[in-house]
Amino acid sequence: MGILDQFFISPETASKGDYTIATYLVEVPPATDINVFAAALAVEQTTGTWVQVPEETAEIRKKYCGKVVSVLEVPAYEFELPKGVESRSFVLQVAYPEVNFGSQIPMLLSTVIGNISMCGRLKLLDLKFSDYFMKGFKGPKFGVEGVRKILGVQGRPLLNNMIKPCTGYTPEVGAKLFYQAALGGVDIIKDDELIADPPFCPMAKRVELYMKAEEKVFRETGEHTLFTVNVTNNATEAIRNAKNAVKMGVNAVMLNFLTAGYSVLQSLADDPEINVPILAHLDFAGVLYESHYSGLSSHLVLGKLARLAGADIVVYPSPYGKFNFFREKHMLIANALTCEFGSIKRSFPMPGGGINNGNVHSVVEDLGIDCIIGCGGAIHGHPMGPTLGAKAMRQVIDAAVKGVPYAKMADSSPEVKAAYDLWGDTKGRQVKLFDLK
Amino acid sequence: MGILDQFFISPETASKGDYTIATYLVEVPPATDINVFAAALAVEQTTGTWVQVPEETAEIRKKYCGKVVSVLEVPAYEFELPKGVESRSFVLQVAYPEVNFGSQIPMLLSTVIGNISMCGRLKLLDLKFSDYFMKGFKGPKFGVEGVRKILGVQGRPLLNNMIKPCTGYTPEVGAKLFYQAALGGVDIIKDDELIADPPFCPMAKRVELYMKAEEKVFRETGEHTLFTVNVTNNATEAIRNAKNAVKMGVNAVMLNFLTAGYSVLQSLADDPEINVPILAHLDFAGVLYESHYSGLSSHLVLGKLARLAGADIVVYPSPYGKFNFFREKHMLIANALTCEFGSIKRSFPMPGGGINNGNVHSVVEDLGIDCIIGCGGAIHGHPMGPTLGAKAMRQVIDAAVKGVPYAKMADSSPEVKAAYDLWGDTKGRQVKLFDLK
């Protein structure tokens, strides 16, 4: 038996077992024996520590120890290291026995990126789960089909509006903006992530006034609007907030799921009393994914794990708005939210941040109809007001679905033309952020 | 009035108001107008978005908008930028009105490092709170004094042991190791962060058997041992686990607080039913602090915020063990956990990860007596067994407090000598991690 045997497992065997396979990018000094490094990582994150202890028996290591699946050098050198190379990079795969952590995200993260998150240049690129692990998750209660069913909207992307300004206004002002935007055809109105329950705009009062506005709009237009009230707080309070809001008649909730924790998102999703769609907001995500050398990849943070935890709608950075974000990453997140994934429902991808009418065609070309156009300022900052601002967005969405160019649409609609003249055709481009004014 | 006036506030005025002052390190292209950048950041994280909207009135901006406190170039250039400079670095301070987010950590983080976490090179270095904000937090229920009172131990660092191996054993094996370590004089025995409630070692059974072992040891030695059972899971389950464990008689709990979320930690700490000390475990911390260009500094992640959320004991990377960690950072974390901080109790600092007898003097020199020596493998991997392994650690702790050198102590105690001969005097040094064996 070779000395690697007890620490390594073949990809074929790993795929058949109850293992979560984690893929890492690591950068190590040239002299590092990468096989020892990989084995140390697998042992450290399961049974072992810096010294072997008597009760870490061969039997325990066999059943509960992580195993190295693959060690891939990127780029690869032939025979010997070129002079001047100060580090080598590898893609490593490690299979972790899922029986160790069970079907829950906090213990999963503690295992796959827990203490090793502090051991130098190591980034978690991907996770692959077994059926055994997946079976423990319910995922989104509603998902794409469920949200569409509530709204009665098929065949086009949904339109989401964030009330703007983000914070500082009263529930009365908010309700006015809600009414105006919903009247123009917005499907979902979300709180900004920066407002939860401040004394100048209490959550309960928002629910009361906004849902009254929702009813009024429904009577006038026959179209429903979801209000995702931001319930973010400590775990106990967030869960209580959500239950209270549902009792008060809110038809959706939102959570800043990365500052509150995946654990709170899943508790909301798993709670039968909270029988409304959940929107998961991206803020804080950069803390987890932004570094090239540490943390997790963005399609895990905002894609796979958000969906697994039960988000019906996930807001993530649009490559066309105010964030610097690669289009490829946006596509990978959307794919993780909507691909085949056991029996877990699809989550709605909602790329956002500085989206205006000029970006809609780009999003629809990328994602098709099963996405949500997230748009705050372009509705509330529209020169003809929020109602016509929302109408303009709905018209541009329809144009994008039908393949009518934005410029052409602007010719036939004064409200679209007003947006076109103000912000231009920003297709595929980013918006300018800010001027002192 | 200058154009900066509405976006800037003096440090003197900011310190007197109900503001949280966030300090950032940012790196920007040389052509960036840093004043515009700083103002955009302050606006983006409070009232504003990429376009000004009608309801973002001057009144709203005055009361609810973030204000730039200081813009400091590091390093500073005189008059003009040297050729070849590809970026400039600044320390920025922004004052956020606390009325926007209230006294809770998730909304605080959404505000100070939410969407801007995704806007390029920006790291949150520090946070300073007002009395108004602090008043909303209870902090640790027990803290340093409370934990000492329960244990009846004064005048020396406490000794914590992690059961090793980390996972894969039965409750019976765990209880045996618990008994042996506690008999040797360990004050606190914690679960490893990699074990919570696996089928082969259920949480409830561990509580039952370990607390029986605790009673037995107390009858034999007159010394109590805290068992911090790892309750990590989704929010609802973690809270329920903690309540159940307390009902079953456990005398402490632990949480992987960064994978479960600060929000869950605080919910445990605030819950009157969970009337036992809480140990907060560091795993996942590197995801938040490891990058130089993004995320948060380690003394926020593992220091100030952990204490604010109510951790009685915080485990963080020791510079002397298996983590690569600057001694300065270890000192800053410990300081954040124990400095004057309103009426919030002190949390116990517990540097850990590969600590053996040879590192104890370093920790005691750094932190004095109000710290916890966290030691897993050096007890369970001690050549004379866990009981004498624990005794050896207690003797070395006493030696460190009295100023007796480790080598001298080894001469007068066979169990200390056994550790000394095996691992050497590693004072101030790191341990070697792993061999394929």
Side-chain angles (χ1 to χ4, degrees), chain A residues 6 44 46-48 50 54-55 110 114 117-118 166 176 232 235-236 256 260 263 267 283-284 286-287 322 354 380 437, chain B residues 6 44 46-48 50 54-55 104 110 114 117 166 176 236 256 260 263 267 283-284 286-287 289 322 354 380 437:
Chain A
Q6 65 167 313
E44 170 75 23
T46 49
T47 60
W50 61 276
E55 293 292 348
S110 292
S117 72
M118 291 167 278
C166 303
K176 183 184 81 184
T232 303
T236 308
N256 301 352
S263 74
S267 286
D283 62 89
F284 202 67
V287 171
K322 65 188 178 186
H380 292 294
K437 61 180 174 247
Chain B
Q6 66 169 312
E44 170 74 23
T46 49
T47 60
W50 60 276
E55 293 292 349
Q104 54 143 301
S110 293
S117 71
C166 303
K176 183 184 80 182
T236 308
N256 300 352
S263 73
S267 286
D283 61 273
F284 202 67
V287 171
Y289 77 64
K322 65 189 178 186
H380 292 295
K437 63 183 170 243

CSV table of all heavy atoms in Angstrom, one decimal, chain A residues 6 44 46-48 50 54-55 110 114 117-118 166 176 232 235-236 256 260 263 267 283-284 286-287 322 354 380 437, chain B residues 6 44 46-48 50 54-55 104 110 114 117 166 176 236 256 260 263 267 283-284 286-287 289 322 354 380 437:
chain,number,residue,atom,x,y,z
A,6,GLN,N,-4.2,6.0,2.2
A,6,GLN,CA,-5.1,6.2,3.3
A,6,GLN,C,-5.7,7.7,3.3
A,6,GLN,O,-6.7,8.0,3.9
A,6,GLN,CB,-4.6,5.9,4.7
A,6,GLN,CG,-3.4,6.8,5.1
A,6,GLN,CD,-3.1,6.6,6.6
A,6,GLN,OE1,-4.0,6.6,7.4
A,6,GLN,NE2,-1.8,6.4,6.9
A,44,GLU,N,-7.2,17.9,8.8
A,44,GLU,CA,-7.5,19.0,9.7
A,44,GLU,C,-9.0,19.3,9.8
A,44,GLU,O,-9.5,19.7,10.8
A,44,GLU,CB,-6.7,20.3,9.2
A,44,GLU,CG,-7.1,21.6,9.9
A,44,GLU,CD,-6.5,21.7,11.3
A,44,GLU,OE1,-5.5,21.0,11.6
A,44,GLU,OE2,-7.1,22.5,12.1
A,46,THR,N,-11.5,17.4,9.4
A,46,THR,CA,-12.3,16.2,9.8
A,46,THR,C,-11.9,15.7,11.2
A,46,THR,O,-12.2,16.2,12.2
A,46,THR,CB,-12.4,15.1,8.7
A,46,THR,OG1,-11.1,14.8,8.3
A,46,THR,CG2,-13.2,15.6,7.5
A,47,THR,N,-11.0,14.7,11.2
A,47,THR,CA,-10.7,14.0,12.4
A,47,THR,C,-9.5,14.5,13.2
A,47,THR,O,-9.4,14.4,14.4
A,47,THR,CB,-10.5,12.5,12.2
A,47,THR,OG1,-9.4,12.3,11.3
A,47,THR,CG2,-11.7,11.8,11.6
A,48,GLY,N,-8.6,15.2,12.4
A,48,GLY,CA,-7.3,15.4,13.0
A,48,GLY,C,-6.9,16.7,13.6
A,48,GLY,O,-7.7,17.7,13.5
A,50,TRP,N,-2.9,18.9,15.0
A,50,TRP,CA,-1.5,19.1,14.6
A,50,TRP,C,-0.7,17.9,15.1
A,50,TRP,O,0.5,17.7,14.8
A,50,TRP,CB,-0.9,20.4,15.2
A,50,TRP,CG,-1.1,20.5,16.6
A,50,TRP,CD1,-2.2,20.9,17.3
A,50,TRP,CD2,-0.1,20.1,17.6
A,50,TRP,NE1,-1.9,20.8,18.7
A,50,TRP,CE2,-0.7,20.4,18.9
A,50,TRP,CE3,1.2,19.6,17.6
A,50,TRP,CZ2,0.0,20.1,20.1
A,50,TRP,CZ3,1.9,19.4,18.8
A,50,TRP,CH2,1.3,19.6,20.0
A,54,PRO,N,-4.3,9.2,20.4
A,54,PRO,CA,-4.6,7.7,20.4
A,54,PRO,C,-6.0,7.4,19.9
A,54,PRO,O,-6.1,6.4,19.1
A,54,PRO,CB,-4.5,7.4,21.9
A,54,PRO,CG,-3.6,8.4,22.5
A,54,PRO,CD,-3.8,9.7,21.7
A,55,GLU,N,-7.0,8.1,20.2
A,55,GLU,CA,-8.3,7.7,19.7
A,55,GLU,C,-8.6,8.0,18.3
A,55,GLU,O,-9.7,7.7,17.8
A,55,GLU,CB,-9.4,8.4,20.6
A,55,GLU,CG,-9.4,7.9,22.1
A,55,GLU,CD,-9.8,6.5,22.3
A,55,GLU,OE1,-10.3,5.8,21.3
A,55,GLU,OE2,-9.6,5.9,23.4
A,110,SER,N,-18.4,25.3,8.3
A,110,SER,CA,-17.3,25.1,9.2
A,110,SER,C,-16.4,24.0,8.8
A,110,SER,O,-15.2,24.0,9.1
A,110,SER,CB,-17.9,24.7,10.6
A,110,SER,OG,-18.6,25.7,11.2
A,114,GLY,N,-13.8,26.3,7.2
A,114,GLY,CA,-13.8,26.7,8.6
A,114,GLY,C,-12.4,27.2,9.0
A,114,GLY,O,-11.9,28.3,8.6
A,117,SER,N,-9.9,28.5,6.5
A,117,SER,CA,-10.0,29.8,5.9
A,117,SER,C,-8.9,30.7,6.4
A,117,SER,O,-8.7,31.8,5.9
A,117,SER,CB,-11.4,30.4,6.3
A,117,SER,OG,-11.5,30.8,7.7
A,118,MET,N,-8.3,30.3,7.5
A,118,MET,CA,-7.2,31.2,8.1
A,118,MET,C,-5.8,30.6,7.9
A,118,MET,O,-4.9,31.1,8.5
A,118,MET,CB,-7.5,31.2,9.6
A,118,MET,CG,-8.7,32.0,10.0
A,118,MET,SD,-9.2,31.8,11.7
A,118,MET,CE,-10.2,30.3,11.6
A,166,CYS,N,-33.2,55.3,-0.2
A,166,CYS,CA,-33.1,54.0,0.5
A,166,CYS,C,-33.6,54.0,1.9
A,166,CYS,O,-34.2,53.1,2.4
A,166,CYS,CB,-31.6,53.6,0.6
A,166,CYS,SG,-30.8,53.5,-0.9
A,176,LYS,N,-46.8,56.2,-0.5
A,176,LYS,CA,-47.1,57.0,-1.7
A,176,LYS,C,-46.3,56.5,-2.9
A,176,LYS,O,-46.8,56.2,-4.0
A,176,LYS,CB,-46.9,58.5,-1.5
A,176,LYS,CG,-47.2,59.4,-2.6
A,176,LYS,CD,-46.8,60.8,-2.3
A,176,LYS,CE,-45.3,61.0,-2.6
A,176,LYS,NZ,-44.8,62.4,-2.2
A,232,THR,N,-34.8,41.9,8.6
A,232,THR,CA,-33.4,41.7,9.1
A,232,THR,C,-33.2,42.1,10.6
A,232,THR,O,-33.5,43.3,10.9
A,232,THR,CB,-32.4,42.3,8.2
A,232,THR,OG1,-32.5,41.9,6.9
A,232,THR,CG2,-30.9,42.1,8.7
A,235,ALA,N,-31.4,36.6,15.1
A,235,ALA,CA,-32.2,35.5,14.6
A,235,ALA,C,-33.6,35.4,15.2
A,235,ALA,O,-34.6,35.4,14.4
A,235,ALA,CB,-31.4,34.2,15.0
A,236,THR,N,-33.7,35.5,16.5
A,236,THR,CA,-35.0,35.4,17.1
A,236,THR,C,-35.9,36.5,16.6
A,236,THR,O,-37.1,36.3,16.3
A,236,THR,CB,-34.8,35.5,18.7
A,236,THR,OG1,-33.9,34.6,19.1
A,236,THR,CG2,-36.1,35.3,19.4
A,256,ASN,N,-31.5,40.4,4.7
A,256,ASN,CA,-30.1,40.6,4.3
A,256,ASN,C,-29.4,39.3,4.8
A,256,ASN,O,-28.9,39.2,5.9
A,256,ASN,CB,-29.5,41.8,5.0
A,256,ASN,CG,-30.3,43.1,4.7
A,256,ASN,OD1,-31.1,43.1,3.8
A,256,ASN,ND2,-30.0,44.2,5.4
A,260,ALA,N,-27.3,38.5,8.3
A,260,ALA,CA,-28.1,37.7,9.3
A,260,ALA,C,-27.6,36.3,9.3
A,260,ALA,O,-27.7,35.6,10.4
A,260,ALA,CB,-29.5,37.8,8.9
A,263,SER,N,-28.1,30.7,8.1
A,263,SER,CA,-28.9,29.9,9.1
A,263,SER,C,-30.2,30.6,9.4
A,263,SER,O,-31.2,29.9,9.6
A,263,SER,CB,-28.1,29.8,10.4
A,263,SER,OG,-28.0,31.0,11.1
A,267,SER,N,-34.0,29.1,8.4
A,267,SER,CA,-35.0,29.1,9.4
A,267,SER,C,-36.3,29.7,8.9
A,267,SER,O,-37.4,29.2,9.2
A,267,SER,CB,-34.6,29.7,10.7
A,267,SER,OG,-33.6,28.8,11.3
A,283,ASP,N,-26.2,42.2,0.1
A,283,ASP,CA,-25.2,43.1,0.8
A,283,ASP,C,-24.3,42.2,1.7
A,283,ASP,O,-24.8,41.3,2.3
A,283,ASP,CB,-25.9,44.1,1.6
A,283,ASP,CG,-26.8,43.6,2.7
A,283,ASP,OD1,-26.3,43.3,3.8
A,283,ASP,OD2,-28.0,43.3,2.4
A,284,PHE,N,-23.0,42.6,1.8
A,284,PHE,CA,-22.0,41.9,2.5
A,284,PHE,C,-21.3,40.8,1.7
A,284,PHE,O,-20.3,40.2,2.1
A,284,PHE,CB,-22.6,41.3,3.8
A,284,PHE,CG,-21.6,41.0,4.9
A,284,PHE,CD1,-20.9,42.0,5.6
A,284,PHE,CD2,-21.3,39.7,5.3
A,284,PHE,CE1,-20.0,41.7,6.6
A,284,PHE,CE2,-20.4,39.4,6.3
A,284,PHE,CZ,-19.8,40.4,7.0
A,286,GLY,N,-19.5,40.8,-0.9
A,286,GLY,CA,-18.1,41.0,-1.3
A,286,GLY,C,-17.1,40.6,-0.2
A,286,GLY,O,-16.0,40.2,-0.5
A,287,VAL,N,-17.6,40.7,1.0
A,287,VAL,CA,-16.7,40.3,2.1
A,287,VAL,C,-16.3,38.8,1.9
A,287,VAL,O,-15.2,38.4,2.2
A,287,VAL,CB,-17.4,40.5,3.5
A,287,VAL,CG1,-16.6,39.8,4.6
A,287,VAL,CG2,-17.6,42.0,3.8
A,322,LYS,N,-24.1,49.5,-11.3
A,322,LYS,CA,-23.1,50.3,-10.6
A,322,LYS,C,-22.0,49.4,-10.0
A,322,LYS,O,-21.0,50.0,-9.5
A,322,LYS,CB,-23.8,51.1,-9.5
A,322,LYS,CG,-24.5,50.4,-8.4
A,322,LYS,CD,-25.3,51.3,-7.5
A,322,LYS,CE,-26.0,50.5,-6.4
A,322,LYS,NZ,-26.9,51.3,-5.6
A,354,GLY,N,-28.2,49.8,-9.9
A,354,GLY,CA,-28.0,50.7,-11.0
A,354,GLY,C,-28.6,50.3,-12.3
A,354,GLY,O,-28.2,50.9,-13.3
A,380,HIS,N,-38.0,55.7,-9.5
A,380,HIS,CA,-38.3,56.8,-8.7
A,380,HIS,C,-37.6,58.1,-9.1
A,380,HIS,O,-37.9,59.2,-8.7
A,380,HIS,CB,-38.0,56.5,-7.2
A,380,HIS,CG,-38.9,55.5,-6.7
A,380,HIS,ND1,-40.3,55.7,-6.5
A,380,HIS,CD2,-38.7,54.2,-6.3
A,380,HIS,CE1,-40.9,54.6,-6.0
A,380,HIS,NE2,-39.9,53.7,-5.9
A,437,LYS,N,-23.1,67.1,-5.8
A,437,LYS,CA,-24.1,68.1,-6.4
A,437,LYS,C,-25.1,68.5,-5.3
A,437,LYS,O,-25.3,67.7,-4.3
A,437,LYS,CB,-24.8,67.5,-7.6
A,437,LYS,CG,-25.6,66.3,-7.3
A,437,LYS,CD,-26.3,65.7,-8.6
A,437,LYS,CE,-26.9,64.4,-8.3
A,437,LYS,NZ,-26.3,63.3,-8.9
B,6,GLN,N,-22.3,69.7,2.6
B,6,GLN,CA,-23.4,68.8,2.8
B,6,GLN,C,-23.0,67.3,3.0
B,6,GLN,O,-23.8,66.5,3.5
B,6,GLN,CB,-24.5,69.0,1.8
B,6,GLN,CG,-24.1,68.5,0.4
B,6,GLN,CD,-25.3,68.4,-0.5
B,6,GLN,OE1,-26.4,67.8,-0.1
B,6,GLN,NE2,-25.2,69.0,-1.7
B,44,GLU,N,-24.4,56.3,-0.8
B,44,GLU,CA,-24.8,54.9,-1.2
B,44,GLU,C,-25.2,54.1,0.0
B,44,GLU,O,-26.2,53.3,-0.1
B,44,GLU,CB,-23.6,54.3,-2.0
B,44,GLU,CG,-23.8,52.8,-2.3
B,44,GLU,CD,-24.8,52.5,-3.4
B,44,GLU,OE1,-25.0,53.4,-4.2
B,44,GLU,OE2,-25.3,51.4,-3.5
B,46,THR,N,-26.5,55.0,2.7
B,46,THR,CA,-27.6,55.5,3.6
B,46,THR,C,-28.8,55.9,2.7
B,46,THR,O,-29.6,55.0,2.4
B,46,THR,CB,-27.1,56.7,4.4
B,46,THR,OG1,-26.4,57.6,3.5
B,46,THR,CG2,-26.1,56.3,5.5
B,47,THR,N,-28.9,57.1,2.3
B,47,THR,CA,-30.1,57.5,1.6
B,47,THR,C,-30.1,57.3,0.1
B,47,THR,O,-31.2,57.2,-0.5
B,47,THR,CB,-30.4,59.0,1.8
B,47,THR,OG1,-29.3,59.8,1.3
B,47,THR,CG2,-30.6,59.3,3.3
B,48,GLY,N,-29.0,57.2,-0.5
B,48,GLY,CA,-28.9,57.5,-2.0
B,48,GLY,C,-28.7,56.2,-2.8
B,48,GLY,O,-28.5,55.1,-2.4
B,50,TRP,N,-27.7,55.5,-7.4
B,50,TRP,CA,-26.9,56.0,-8.5
B,50,TRP,C,-27.5,57.2,-9.2
B,50,TRP,O,-26.9,57.9,-10.0
B,50,TRP,CB,-26.7,54.9,-9.6
B,50,TRP,CG,-27.9,54.4,-10.2
B,50,TRP,CD1,-28.7,53.4,-9.7
B,50,TRP,CD2,-28.6,54.8,-11.4
B,50,TRP,NE1,-29.9,53.2,-10.4
B,50,TRP,CE2,-29.8,54.1,-11.5
B,50,TRP,CE3,-28.3,55.8,-12.3
B,50,TRP,CZ2,-30.7,54.3,-12.6
B,50,TRP,CZ3,-29.2,56.0,-13.4
B,50,TRP,CH2,-30.4,55.2,-13.5
B,54,PRO,N,-36.6,62.3,-6.3
B,54,PRO,CA,-37.3,63.5,-5.7
B,54,PRO,C,-37.4,63.4,-4.2
B,54,PRO,O,-37.2,64.4,-3.5
B,54,PRO,CB,-38.7,63.4,-6.4
B,54,PRO,CG,-38.5,62.7,-7.6
B,54,PRO,CD,-37.4,61.7,-7.4
B,55,GLU,N,-37.7,62.2,-3.7
B,55,GLU,CA,-38.0,62.2,-2.2
B,55,GLU,C,-36.7,62.2,-1.4
B,55,GLU,O,-36.8,62.2,-0.2
B,55,GLU,CB,-38.8,61.0,-1.9
B,55,GLU,CG,-40.3,61.0,-2.4
B,55,GLU,CD,-41.1,62.1,-1.7
B,55,GLU,OE1,-40.7,62.7,-0.7
B,55,GLU,OE2,-42.2,62.4,-2.3
B,104,GLN,N,-28.3,46.7,16.4
B,104,GLN,CA,-28.3,45.3,16.0
B,104,GLN,C,-27.1,45.1,15.0
B,104,GLN,O,-26.8,46.0,14.2
B,104,GLN,CB,-29.6,44.8,15.4
B,104,GLN,CG,-30.1,45.7,14.3
B,104,GLN,CD,-30.8,44.8,13.2
B,104,GLN,OE1,-30.2,44.0,12.6
B,104,GLN,NE2,-32.1,45.2,12.9
B,110,SER,N,-24.8,45.5,7.3
B,110,SER,CA,-25.4,45.9,6.0
B,110,SER,C,-25.1,47.3,5.6
B,110,SER,O,-24.9,47.7,4.4
B,110,SER,CB,-26.9,45.7,6.0
B,110,SER,OG,-27.2,44.3,6.1
B,114,GLY,N,-22.0,46.7,3.5
B,114,GLY,CA,-23.0,45.9,2.8
B,114,GLY,C,-22.7,45.9,1.3
B,114,GLY,O,-21.8,45.3,0.8
B,117,SER,N,-19.2,46.4,0.0
B,117,SER,CA,-18.2,45.3,0.1
B,117,SER,C,-17.9,44.7,-1.4
B,117,SER,O,-17.0,44.0,-1.6
B,117,SER,CB,-18.8,44.1,0.9
B,117,SER,OG,-19.8,43.5,0.2
B,166,CYS,N,-11.2,15.2,16.4
B,166,CYS,CA,-12.2,16.3,16.3
B,166,CYS,C,-13.6,15.6,16.1
B,166,CYS,O,-14.6,16.2,16.6
B,166,CYS,CB,-11.9,17.1,15.1
B,166,CYS,SG,-10.3,17.9,15.1
B,176,LYS,N,-15.1,9.3,28.0
B,176,LYS,CA,-13.9,8.8,28.6
B,176,LYS,C,-12.8,9.8,28.6
B,176,LYS,O,-12.1,10.1,29.5
B,176,LYS,CB,-13.5,7.5,27.9
B,176,LYS,CG,-12.3,6.8,28.5
B,176,LYS,CD,-11.8,5.6,27.7
B,176,LYS,CE,-11.0,6.0,26.4
B,176,LYS,NZ,-10.6,4.9,25.6
B,236,THR,N,-33.2,28.5,14.1
B,236,THR,CA,-34.2,27.9,15.0
B,236,THR,C,-33.7,26.7,15.7
B,236,THR,O,-33.9,26.6,16.9
B,236,THR,CB,-35.4,27.5,14.1
B,236,THR,OG1,-35.8,28.6,13.3
B,236,THR,CG2,-36.6,27.1,15.0
B,256,ASN,N,-20.4,27.9,16.4
B,256,ASN,CA,-19.6,28.4,15.3
B,256,ASN,C,-20.2,29.7,14.8
B,256,ASN,O,-21.1,29.6,13.9
B,256,ASN,CB,-19.5,27.3,14.2
B,256,ASN,CG,-19.0,26.0,14.7
B,256,ASN,OD1,-18.5,25.9,15.8
B,256,ASN,ND2,-19.0,25.0,13.8
B,260,ALA,N,-22.8,30.3,11.6
B,260,ALA,CA,-24.2,30.5,12.0
B,260,ALA,C,-24.7,31.9,11.9
B,260,ALA,O,-25.8,32.2,11.7
B,260,ALA,CB,-24.4,30.0,13.4
B,263,SER,N,-26.0,37.0,14.3
B,263,SER,CA,-27.4,37.2,14.7
B,263,SER,C,-27.8,36.0,15.6
B,263,SER,O,-28.7,36.2,16.5
B,263,SER,CB,-28.3,37.3,13.5
B,263,SER,OG,-28.4,36.0,12.8
B,267,SER,N,-28.8,36.1,19.6
B,267,SER,CA,-30.1,35.5,20.1
B,267,SER,C,-29.8,34.5,21.3
B,267,SER,O,-30.6,34.5,22.2
B,267,SER,CB,-30.8,34.8,19.0
B,267,SER,OG,-31.3,35.8,18.1
B,283,ASP,N,-14.0,29.5,13.5
B,283,ASP,CA,-13.9,28.9,12.1
B,283,ASP,C,-14.7,29.8,11.1
B,283,ASP,O,-15.7,30.4,11.5
B,283,ASP,CB,-14.5,27.5,12.1
B,283,ASP,CG,-15.9,27.4,12.5
B,283,ASP,OD1,-16.2,27.3,13.7
B,283,ASP,OD2,-16.8,27.5,11.6
B,284,PHE,N,-14.2,30.0,9.9
B,284,PHE,CA,-14.8,30.8,8.9
B,284,PHE,C,-14.3,32.2,9.0
B,284,PHE,O,-14.5,33.0,8.0
B,284,PHE,CB,-16.3,30.8,8.9
B,284,PHE,CG,-17.0,31.2,7.6
B,284,PHE,CD1,-17.0,30.4,6.5
B,284,PHE,CD2,-17.8,32.4,7.5
B,284,PHE,CE1,-17.7,30.7,5.4
B,284,PHE,CE2,-18.5,32.7,6.4
B,284,PHE,CZ,-18.4,31.9,5.3
B,286,GLY,N,-11.4,33.6,8.6
B,286,GLY,CA,-10.5,34.0,7.5
B,286,GLY,C,-11.2,34.5,6.3
B,286,GLY,O,-10.7,35.3,5.5
B,287,VAL,N,-12.4,33.9,6.0
B,287,VAL,CA,-13.2,34.4,4.9
B,287,VAL,C,-13.5,35.9,5.0
B,287,VAL,O,-13.5,36.6,4.1
B,287,VAL,CB,-14.6,33.6,4.8
B,287,VAL,CG1,-15.5,34.2,3.8
B,287,VAL,CG2,-14.3,32.1,4.5
B,289,TYR,N,-11.7,38.1,7.2
B,289,TYR,CA,-10.6,39.0,7.5
B,289,TYR,C,-9.4,38.8,6.7
B,289,TYR,O,-8.5,39.7,6.6
B,289,TYR,CB,-10.2,39.0,9.0
B,289,TYR,CG,-9.4,37.8,9.5
B,289,TYR,CD1,-8.2,37.6,9.1
B,289,TYR,CD2,-10.0,37.0,10.5
B,289,TYR,CE1,-7.4,36.5,9.5
B,289,TYR,CE2,-9.2,35.9,10.9
B,289,TYR,CZ,-8.0,35.7,10.5
B,289,TYR,OH,-7.2,34.6,10.9
B,322,LYS,N,-0.7,26.6,15.1
B,322,LYS,CA,-0.6,26.1,13.7
B,322,LYS,C,-1.1,27.1,12.7
B,322,LYS,O,-1.0,26.9,11.5
B,322,LYS,CB,-1.5,24.8,13.6
B,322,LYS,CG,-2.9,25.0,13.9
B,322,LYS,CD,-3.6,23.6,14.0
B,322,LYS,CE,-5.1,23.8,14.2
B,322,LYS,NZ,-5.8,22.5,14.5
B,354,GLY,N,-3.2,24.4,17.9
B,354,GLY,CA,-1.9,23.9,17.9
B,354,GLY,C,-1.1,24.4,19.1
B,354,GLY,O,0.1,24.3,19.2
B,380,HIS,N,-4.6,15.4,24.7
B,380,HIS,CA,-5.0,14.0,24.2
B,380,HIS,C,-3.9,13.3,23.5
B,380,HIS,O,-3.9,12.0,23.4
B,380,HIS,CB,-6.3,14.0,23.4
B,380,HIS,CG,-7.5,14.5,24.2
B,380,HIS,ND1,-7.9,13.7,25.2
B,380,HIS,CD2,-8.2,15.6,24.2
B,380,HIS,CE1,-9.0,14.3,25.8
B,380,HIS,NE2,-9.1,15.5,25.2
B,437,LYS,N,1.7,10.0,7.4
B,437,LYS,CA,2.2,8.8,8.3
B,437,LYS,C,1.1,7.8,8.5
B,437,LYS,O,-0.1,8.2,8.3
B,437,LYS,CB,2.8,9.4,9.6
B,437,LYS,CG,1.8,10.1,10.4
B,437,LYS,CD,2.4,10.6,11.7
B,437,LYS,CE,1.4,11.5,12.4
B,437,LYS,NZ,1.8,12.9,12.5
